Amino acid sequence: MLPTTIKDKGRWWSREDLFLLLLLGAMYFLPGIARIPLFDRDEPRFATAARTMAQSGNYIVPMFNGQLRPDKPPLLYWLMDGTYALTGSYGELGARLPSAICSTLTILVLYFMVGARFGRLTGLLAAILMGSTSLFIVESRLATADATMLLFITICMACAWRAWDVGAAMGPAATTPFLADRSAAATGGSLPRRREKMPAWMAGVFWISLAAGALTKGVPLIFVLAPMIALSLFTGALPRLLREWRSHFHLTHMRRIIAVILAVVTTVAVTFFYRAGLTFQCVSALVLGLLFMAMTLTPRLPGVLFRCVIGGNWRWWRSLRPGWGIPLTIVLIGWWVVAVGLATSPHWALIRDMVETHFLARSMPWLLHLLHIQPPPLNPAGGNDQVSKYAEPTGFYTLLVWVTDWPWSVLIVPAAYHTWRRLRGKTAVAIDPRPYQFLVAWIIPMWILLELARGKLVHYPLPTYVAISILFADTLVQSWQGLSEVLSPRWFAVMRWVMLAIWVGLGCAAFFAGRAYLGPELLGPVILLAIVLAGAGAASAWSWNTPRWPFVVALAWAAALLVADTQLLPNISQLKTSKFAGARIQELLASEPDYRIAALGYKEPSLVFYCGREVAIFDNDMGRLLETAPFARKDRSVLPTSKWVVAVDGPMLKEFDREGLLYFPLQSYAGFNPADFKPVTVTVLTNVPPKDYSPSAIRAATEPHSAPASEPGSATAPG
């Protein structure tokens, strides 16, 4: 247990905990972020858009590669511009630093949010579990909006939880402190005391954070309000009305026949529309069929649904002061919406594309079809990846959580059972069920919505992992203190050896993958990583199901990631294809700035970032390239007047030879494509020979080879 080191007995938290969490954030989120290249497709888009804002002085309209970037609002770009100025360069460190800082703040907010209700030990453990979750670590190290968005969502939910504590109906269990930690000594001080009123400043923090989240990614409005609405409905009259509704099922012979006919007709209609690709008609047929079947079985359904909404538990929302909070949020968001709309007049192009392409086309394409709206064409280089590429079946996240919540996914089943028992009141002592109601409402509604959504990316359910980590921590602490027996079954003891096998398997996989795909110079770091992963498994088995276990595993996991982030990933030259190609192009432009840049076949956004200038991207369209960037033929001696330097992948380079085009290769780089990690060779060539070009350079550059070990520097920020 934690030692009692707090001198002020009225304060439950300690400075030692805060220092530990800051150290945790530094260990997990900072190592290697300045050396590992931007290889994820979204990273260079955010980083380049932020750099464009700083260089142009236009902080209202996000631009990427000379085009509007409607993917995300501007707040993250502003944060990146601040860290660019802080670091003095437009490099990887400045682009990724906001995510690392926001993630560290997230675990600090989580510590205070949980500790104020469950006690110091549970708060510290929840922060450590969240901070060491695989998905959270990955997003905390990327130059994307998710870590920043998660901070604002966590702040909003912390304030909403406070409002729920204050405004919810006080039951018998709520008259005593929450009993997750049975003694003050377990928390290092006294348990937190509840206050009767929520201060106005906390309500202001809620609405300001909600607006900041919307200006970061937009979806926090859904991730925050949907759980709050679900919580109000399911703690109101909904359970009672559903019981009444079930009592009015009149399954007469005639109603059974009508319901079966409706079910058959609905199935046929849904199948027909689905195969015809008519999404709107398919959804409409399903909804209407279910509605008619329900109304056949119980004609009181519409009235019951209406009474569920009216009878919801909405009183606790008053503590958030929506009377002035909603207008404040509208003002904080609306000023940018109006400003960017006027800047992209006459049709508010960026806002229109943001709503149509990046919200409706991904979540409700049937609505665009109904309104006869054709969204803009999708351009991967510009930031609009096709939704069909990441469309996954329902249940995708339920299966994936066992991987993305590593190394704590072994707690999913015990924590779910523990939470169910607490909600049902099956405890030896009186424990307030309201925190569990709040956490379940935080997880389940958004999980269902995400599973039903058309497009699915791995990181979408990340905000729910905060609540999941809280339940994990509560399950562990109550089990240690004898308040729960969910970790006592024999199967959980067997999981000690299953987890050991998985850790050792990860080490073996790292070794064989490194041996197969990486050079011999990286064999040492690969072996070290494999040993540390196997050691983490041994440490996990040694400390299994004891109070030491989560702390030992978190430390061992941090050691493995430290090896990967400092010794392995920064030295994989195959990940630096865009970085080296961009450096070679910048080297050419430094001596001959009249060259323009293009890319054919190789359409990665990271090339735009590392070139430092706009790149004309032509996908695999040779005809469009030749219309813009003329190339002479080998049987002609007249060279073009306009100078172009082009990054070409292997298949399109063969097209150059097949067409008999005259080109002058500068350098070739072999590596992995950041989009799918398939092997790729990128050749940097020009249509007009540079001044320092020589025949010997032709022969040296036409042979594809791995990128050199040296790393080019980042462009220096002005001023």
Side-chain angles (χ1 to χ4, degrees):
M1 294 298 178
L2 299 177
T4 305
T5 57
I6 302 177
K7 296 181 180 180
D8 181 6
K9 297 301 180 181
R11 169 167 64 86
W12 60 266
W13 57 273
S14 74
R15 296 183 181 88
E16 292 82 357
D17 293 348
L18 300 183
F19 177 78
L20 178 63
L21 294 177
L22 290 174
L23 181 62
L24 176 75
M27 285 173 32
Y28 277 116
F29 311 145
L30 290 180
I33 62 173
R35 299 175 56 205
I36 301 173
L38 305 180
F39 56 89
D40 177 80
R41 278 195 159 186
D42 282 335
E43 280 195 289
R45 291 168 181 159
F46 281 101
T48 305
R51 182 181 64 193
T52 303
M53 278 189 172
Q55 292 175 339
S56 65
N58 183 355
Y59 291 91
I60 300 297
V61 183
M63 302 286 293
F64 174 81
N65 202 28
Q67 300 177 355
L68 293 177
R69 175 166 165 77
D71 295 57
K72 300 295 182 291
L75 183 57
L76 180 61
Y77 307 136
W78 299 339
L79 296 178
M80 285 185 176
D81 287 336
T83 51
Y84 281 155
L86 181 65
T87 58
S89 67
Y90 299 120
E92 293 91 344
L93 178 60
R96 289 171 170 154
L97 201 54
S99 293
I101 294 174
C102 289
S103 292
T104 304
L105 294 176
T106 296
I107 61 177
L108 292 176
V109 173
L110 180 59
Y111 169 72
F112 284 100
M113 174 173 61
V114 178
R117 292 162 180 83
F118 293 80
R120 176 190 172 196
L121 177 58
T122 308
L124 178 62
L125 190 56
I128 292 176
L129 295 182
M130 184 63 190
S132 54
T133 298
S134 297
L135 181 60
F136 182 65
I137 293 173
V138 171
E139 295 300 327
S140 302
R141 298 173 55 84
L142 295 179
T144 57
D146 296 282
T148 305
M149 174 198 71
L150 183 62
L151 170 63
F152 296 124
I153 290 178
T154 305
I155 294 175
C156 286
M157 296 306 290
C159 297
W161 200 347
R162 177 64 181 279
W164 169 249
D165 287 340
V166 171
M170 299 292 289
T175 58
T176 58
F178 187 72
L179 298 178
D181 291 338
R182 289 188 296 179
S183 64
T187 65
S190 61
L191 284 170
R193 295 173 293 181
R194 298 185 183 275
R195 298 180 183 178
E196 296 183 356
K197 291 184 179 181
M198 179 175 175
W201 67 264
M202 187 173 291
V205 169
F206 172 85
W207 296 107
I208 293 174
S209 299
L210 188 63
L215 287 175
T216 302
K217 198 169 180 178
V219 293
L221 294 173
I222 302 175
F223 269 103
V224 172
L225 298 180
M228 293 172 62
I229 293 172
L231 182 63
S232 298
L233 291 175
F234 282 90
T235 58
L238 180 62
R240 176 179 57 82
L241 293 174
L242 287 179
R243 287 193 297 269
E244 295 179 2
W245 179 61
R246 286 188 300 178
S247 66
H248 287 82
F249 273 94
H250 301 298
L251 296 179
T252 62
H253 184 65
M254 181 58 66
R255 291 193 176 186
R256 286 193 183 98
I257 294 176
I258 296 176
V260 170
I261 294 174
L262 287 173
V264 172
V265 172
T266 301
T267 303
V268 172
V270 169
T271 303
F272 172 78
F273 290 131
Y274 178 79
R275 291 182 176 179
L278 302 175
T279 307
F280 172 71
Q281 289 83 347
C282 178
V283 174
S284 301
L286 179 62
V287 172
L288 291 176
L290 293 175
L291 182 61
F292 286 144
M293 281 188 286
M295 293 180 66
T296 300
L297 298 173
T298 169
R300 300 180 58 196
L301 178 62
V304 170
L305 295 177
F306 178 75
R307 291 168 60 194
C308 286
V309 176
I310 298 301
N313 180 15
W314 307 104
R315 291 186 306 167
W316 64 281
W317 288 62
R318 299 175 185 173
S319 299
L320 295 173
R321 280 80 165 181
W324 55 263
I326 294 177
L328 175 64
T329 304
I330 294 175
V331 170
L332 293 176
I333 300 174
W335 77 267
W336 176 78
V337 174
V338 174
V340 76
L342 296 177
T344 57
S345 293
H347 303 295
W348 289 40
L350 187 134
I351 298 299
R352 186 190 69 244
D353 293 349
M354 185 178 291
V355 174
E356 293 177 1
T357 305
H358 299 282
F359 179 69
L360 296 180
R362 294 181 176 182
S363 57
M364 294 181 288
W366 52 268
L367 183 58
L368 292 179
H369 178 74
L370 178 66
L371 299 176
H372 303 286
I373 297 176
Q374 180 64 35
L378 298 177
N379 179 12
N384 308 328
D385 289 329
Q386 295 182 10
V387 179
S388 59
K389 289 185 177 180
Y390 53 90
E392 300 292 346
T394 301
F396 173 74
Y397 292 123
T398 305
L399 295 176
L400 194 66
V401 68
W402 300 93
V403 177
T404 54
D405 208 6
W406 178 265
W408 315 116
S409 48
V410 67
L411 296 173
I412 291 177
V413 173
Y417 183 59
H418 168 79
T419 304
W420 173 255
R421 289 177 58 85
R422 292 298 178 262
L423 290 174
R424 302 283 292 179
K426 296 183 180 298
T427 57
V429 294
I431 293 182
D432 187 356
R434 291 178 300 150
Y436 300 100
Q437 294 173 347
F438 186 89
L439 293 172
V440 170
W442 188 344
I443 299 170
I444 293 181
M446 283 311 307
W447 200 276
I448 294 175
L449 291 177
L450 291 172
E451 289 283 20
L452 295 177
R454 181 189 180 195
K456 293 180 176 68
L457 288 178
V458 174
H459 61 269
Y460 281 177
L462 181 60
T464 63
Y465 283 44
V466 178
I468 293 173
S469 297
I470 297 173
L471 293 176
F472 285 174
D474 180 63
T475 301
L476 289 171
V477 173
Q478 291 203 30
S479 297
W480 298 339
Q481 297 177 351
L483 294 175
S484 177
E485 298 179 352
V486 296
L487 301 184
S488 301
R490 189 171 182 178
W491 72 267
F492 192 76
V494 174
M495 289 302 297
R496 172 204 305 254
W497 311 113
V498 175
M499 294 294 289
L500 173 60
I502 295 176
W503 280 108
V504 174
L506 290 175
C508 294
F511 172 75
F512 288 112
R515 185 178 179 183
Y517 298 104
L518 303 179
E521 69 279 0
L522 293 178
L523 186 59
V526 168
I527 293 176
L528 179 60
L529 176 61
I531 293 174
V532 174
L533 287 172
S540 174
W542 167 72
S543 60
W544 186 257
N545 205 11
T546 66
R548 298 186 301 268
W549 176 67
F551 302 98
V552 169
V553 172
L555 186 61
W557 184 224
L561 294 176
L562 189 65
V563 173
D565 295 332
T566 59
Q567 303 300 316
L568 187 59
L569 292 176
N571 298 315
I572 300 178
S573 60
Q574 291 90 336
L575 298 178
K576 303 179 181 181
T577 306
S578 293
K579 185 170 186 177
F580 290 133
R584 183 64 183 91
I585 292 174
Q586 284 196 9
E587 180 184 348
L588 173 64
L589 297 179
S591 58
E592 300 184 55
D594 52 343
Y595 274 94
R596 298 174 63 185
I597 311 173
L600 181 66
Y602 190 72
K603 52 188 178 183
E604 294 307 314
S606 54
L607 181 65
V608 181
F609 175 78
Y610 287 113
C611 285
R613 289 170 53 175
E614 293 182 11
V615 178
I617 297 177
F618 296 96
D619 293 345
N620 296 320
D621 194 340
M622 173 73 78
R624 287 183 53 233
L625 172 69
L626 296 180
E627 291 176 359
T628 306
F631 279 77
R633 296 192 176 273
K634 293 182 179 179
D635 55 357
R636 300 178 184 176
S637 59
V638 179
L639 294 175
T641 56
S642 59
K643 294 183 177 181
W644 285 83
V645 55
V646 187
V648 184
D649 68 354
M652 297 312 299
L653 185 62
K654 295 179 180 178
E655 288 292 325
F656 270 81
D657 295 330
R658 191 176 296 113
E659 294 289 336
L661 299 177
L662 179 62
Y663 60 90
F664 303 89
L666 303 181
Q667 189 71 47
S668 294
Y669 303 100
F672 298 136
N673 191 319
D676 51 20
F677 283 92
K678 293 182 179 179
V680 63
T681 299
V682 177
T683 300
V684 178
L685 54 86
T686 62
N687 64 342
V688 177
K691 297 177 180 178
D692 58 351
Y693 206 74
S694 64
S696 60
I698 297 178
R699 292 190 298 270
T702 51
E703 293 292 334
H705 56 83
S706 297
S710 59
E711 293 188 23
S714 303
T716 303

